[in-house]
Amino acid sequence: MAILDIINVPDPLLKTISKPVDAVTDELRKLMDDMLQTMYIAPGIGLAAIQVGVAKRVIVVDVAEIPENPEEEPIREPKYLVNPEVVWESLEHNVFNEGCLSVPDHYADVERPISVKIRYLDYDGQKREERMEGLLATVVQHEIDHLNGIVFIDYLSKLKRSMIVKKVQKADKEKEDA
Ligand code: GNR
Ligand code: NI
């Protein structure tokens, strides 16, 4: 397995519309394994392929709770979603304070449907449909946005967005120089 580099805003790759996957092959499974490992180490609870520079419609998520006792091994509940599509969404929305591994250290409230039904191919290439709610629904919608070139800061005012982008750029530059 390999830990991949995560790209940050304002990398124009994050605006790419990712391409549907033709078939779930061993090569794609290797990408999903690497993405999951990269996500756990970050650490994050979701990752879209475009965040590691691959413009394929692939996401991984794991919203399992972290044990209170840090000695305990976390229980892993990874989900792999290929070509995910929202086929239904609830009229009821909620607001969640979102973060993004491509916008490190910045958070903002985003409103989304509370519950969604997602059609996708799983790790074995099997067709699935699943109703999701709570944190899982929020994260999967955030990841599907990435596949469409959208980052959560795109929902903020131009002013807020440009302030955040500048701060991320500055932090990344300081890291480079260090
Ligand atoms: O790790 C992440 N946490 C998170 C919190 C609230 C809403 C969405 C997310 S996804 C984010 C990881 C990420 O950037 N995925 O694209
Ligand atoms: Ni993100």
Side-chain angles (χ1 to χ4, degrees), residues 19-169:
K19 290 228 152 51
V21 168
D22 291 328
V24 180
T25 58
D26 285 347
E27 193 188 344
L28 192 78
R29 275 187 279 269
K30 185 187 179 320
L31 171 67
M32 294 195 281
D33 293 343
D34 290 345
M35 283 172 58
L36 193 76
Q37 194 188 21
T38 301
M39 183 192 84
Y40 285 144
I41 290 197
I45 56 179
L47 191 70
I50 197 63
Q51 293 179 277
V52 295
V54 178
K56 293 181 195 285
R57 301 188 80 81
V58 175
I59 68 182
V60 295
V61 296
D62 188 340
V63 297
E65 271 174 54
I66 295 154
E68 282 181 30
N69 177 353
E71 308 278 285
E72 267 177 68
E73 275 292 309
I75 300 157
R76 301 301 199 188
E77 288 174 19
K79 280 180 152 330
Y80 310 83
L81 288 81
V82 176
N83 298 341
E85 280 176 74
V86 178
V87 295
W88 173 85
E89 59 183 47
S90 61
L91 292 173
E92 199 184 349
H93 287 57
N94 64 1
V95 172
F96 201 91
N97 196 247
E98 297 197 10
C100 181
L101 293 172
S102 298
V103 191
D105 303 321
H106 295 274
Y107 303 86
D109 285 349
V110 178
E111 187 188 320
R112 302 185 189 273
I114 270 189
S115 177
V116 286
K117 193 171 178 189
I118 306 291
R119 182 180 296 156
Y120 65 97
L121 300 177
D122 68 14
Y123 192 82
D124 301 313
Q126 295 285 325
K127 257 196 191 184
R128 288 196 190 227
E129 255 183 39
E130 190 177 328
R131 190 190 148 132
M132 301 173 179
E133 45 196 33
L135 182 58
L136 179 61
T138 296
V139 174
V140 167
Q141 291 176 82
H142 172 116
E143 303 312 336
I144 292 175
D145 271 355
H146 277 302
L147 303 184
N148 295 325
I150 296 164
V151 179
F152 81 98
I153 55 171
D154 295 337
Y155 296 115
L156 309 179
S157 70
K158 245 189 203 167
L159 179 64
K160 275 192 188 163
R161 179 165 62 246
S162 68
M163 277 177 18
I164 290 173
V165 170
K166 265 188 207 145
K167 285 182 183 167
V168 171
Q169 264 183 308

